[in-house]
Amino acid sequence: MTLVYQDSADWLLFDQFSEAGFMHPEHYHDRAELFYPKTGVTLVFSKGVPLIVPPHRALWIPAHTYHSLPSCRGPCSVTLLRLRRQRSCRP
């Protein structure tokens, strides 16, 4: 995974390339994540529900949500945007 850009730790942007058959075990992040595959079809499991994410579609994964990527059909190029939890606007 390559860190593309970081701005004041409010957000992180990654580009990731994976070969066909890539697998990532169940995990979670402290930040919310926007998962955006540019090529390849990915299968994501979250809360036991399989989600097929085709290219040029996005999947929102809230912070602290367990998820796994058990397979990637074909080589996959994915952009990941991780956002820090926003502070309350209340005084």
Side-chain angles (χ1 to χ4, degrees):
M1 190 179 304
T2 304
L3 178 63
V4 176
Y5 190 77
Q6 178 177 351
D7 182 24
S8 303
D10 286 335
W11 53 275
L12 300 169
L13 184 66
F14 299 89
D15 270 339
Q16 177 180 359
F17 177 80
S18 302
E19 296 294 333
F22 171 78
M23 298 174 71
H24 196 81
E26 187 174 62
H27 63 285
Y28 72 90
H29 307 282
D30 291 331
R31 298 169 178 252
E33 179 176 85
L34 185 65
F35 179 87
Y36 180 79
K38 295 180 281 188
T39 62
V41 175
T42 55
L43 175 63
V44 177
F45 272 87
S46 180
K47 299 180 181 179
V49 176
L51 305 163
I52 297 172
V53 189
H56 307 291
R57 298 287 191 259
L59 176 65
W60 178 253
I61 303 172
H64 303 284
T65 300
Y66 281 94
H67 59 284
S68 63
L69 288 85
S71 70
C72 179
R73 177 172 278 180
C76 293
S77 177
V78 177
T79 297
L80 305 168
L81 175 63
R82 293 192 184 141
L83 301 169
R84 185 179 68 176
R85 180 181 289 179
Q86 295 296 314
R87 295 187 178 109
S88 173
C89 295
R90 295 181 181 176

